Amino acid sequence: MTAIDLNSDLGESYGAWAMGDDEAMLSIVSSANVACGFHAGDPLGILKTVQAAAKQGVSIGAHVSYPDRVGFGRRDMDVTSAELTADVIYQIGAIKGVAAAAGVTVGYVKPHGALYNRIAHDPKQGQAVIDGIKAIDPNLVLMGLAGAPILALAQKSGLKTVAEAFADRAYTPEGELVSRREAGSVLHDPDLIARRMLQLAREGTLEAIDGSTIKVDAQSICVHGDSPGAVAIAREIRRAFETDGIAVRSFLKA
């Protein structure tokens, strides 16, 4: 691999409540998953994040979620297909409007939190998200978990997709993310994480939480903006990649 995308979840601050360091992350990553207001983010903060991303030449994606500010979008919801499709349309529309005001465009959609995990294997909710994306802009790319059925479902429905791996999360032997409720699910050591991501880029494999080796075919790597030490992690990954001759570049600019 000669180039790979590095993305982060941004625009998640709300009023006086600050989440992450968007300015610093935008100097490192190549794609920004911008909150749409359903799990986090307020209009002014979202606008500032999009403007900062535009200034840095970072690609912008809509980070759509269940309507769950209290739970930060990490609580599963049994919503109807019609509701979910409408929610996705609404959120993408909001980010498209903000991006237009900043003089840039939205290129992809990445579901957040519980919605991301649910649609990875739930074809009903997955199709509702796909239908929402297609209804507002069928040229948008859907970002999803590498190896998950949602990617094939989206492709079958006519959407382009990009497979994603998580730098700061542990994996099960089956290639799933270890639940945040379990010990060791979130990784914090920048050096260890960078070595893992180099292995992913070079060999397409990762070490699972039980020590086994799993195959992970991903074109984008996420560093969660709300993780402790997120900026240091992202910076070390980028340094390791560039030292190894791997460029950090948005998949939209490949």
Side-chain angles (χ1 to χ4, degrees):
M1 186 174 287
T2 59
I4 195 164
D5 180 56
L6 193 59
N7 78 75
S8 189
D9 304 339
L10 304 175
E12 293 179 328
S13 296
Y14 189 81
W17 179 68
M19 172 65 82
D21 187 344
D22 287 8
E23 288 281 351
M25 289 297 283
L26 285 167
S27 69
I28 303 167
V29 301
S30 47
S31 295
N33 320 313
V34 182
C36 304
F38 268 39
H39 76 281
D42 61 38
L44 179 58
I46 292 169
L47 176 60
K48 287 181 176 179
T49 295
V50 171
Q51 288 173 331
K55 185 177 180 180
Q56 293 282 0
V58 172
S59 295
I60 296 166
H63 203 29
V64 300
S65 171
Y66 289 129
D68 179 30
R69 282 183 176 170
V70 172
F72 198 65
R74 289 182 175 153
R75 298 183 294 189
D76 189 48
M77 290 189 174
D78 188 19
V79 297
T80 68
S81 294
E83 286 177 306
L84 185 51
T85 296
D87 283 351
V88 169
I89 292 170
Y90 186 94
Q91 292 176 84
I92 296 172
I95 294 299
K96 275 181 165 283
V98 172
V104 290
T105 58
V106 176
Y108 67 98
V109 176
K110 176 185 171 181
H112 165 82
L115 179 60
Y116 183 97
N117 293 329
R118 176 73 175 263
I119 70 169
H121 297 282
D122 182 336
K124 183 177 180 182
Q125 286 206 10
Q127 190 63 56
V129 170
I130 291 165
D131 290 345
I133 296 170
K134 291 181 66 178
I136 190 166
D137 186 350
N139 293 314
L140 291 170
V141 179
L142 175 64
M143 181 179 287
L145 183 66
I150 183 62
L151 298 178
L153 181 62
Q155 292 164 10
K156 184 178 178 181
S157 299
L159 287 181
K160 294 179 181 178
T161 63
V162 60
E164 174 186 41
F166 288 84
D168 48 7
R169 293 292 301 277
Y171 278 77
T172 71
E174 294 74 34
E176 303 290 333
L177 298 179
V178 174
S179 171
R180 286 181 178 269
R181 297 182 181 90
E182 296 184 24
S185 63
V186 180
L187 308 179
H188 302 287
D189 183 338
D191 291 334
L192 170 65
I193 292 170
R195 290 197 300 272
R196 283 170 60 85
M197 292 305 100
L198 268 179
Q199 179 182 335
L200 174 73
R202 288 170 175 165
E203 304 170 17
T205 62
L206 283 176
E207 181 180 318
I209 197 165
D210 68 347
S212 63
T213 299
I214 58 174
K215 294 193 71 65
V216 180
D217 182 12
Q219 297 81 52
S220 185
I221 293 171
C222 176
V223 177
H224 285 103
D226 63 319
S227 292
V231 172
I233 290 169
R235 186 173 287 126
E236 183 59 23
I237 292 171
R238 179 155 190 153
R239 186 203 65 77
F241 280 165
E242 292 179 344
T243 299
D244 203 58
I246 301 170
V248 173
R249 184 170 65 235
S250 169
F251 59 89
L252 294 173
K253 300 176 181 179

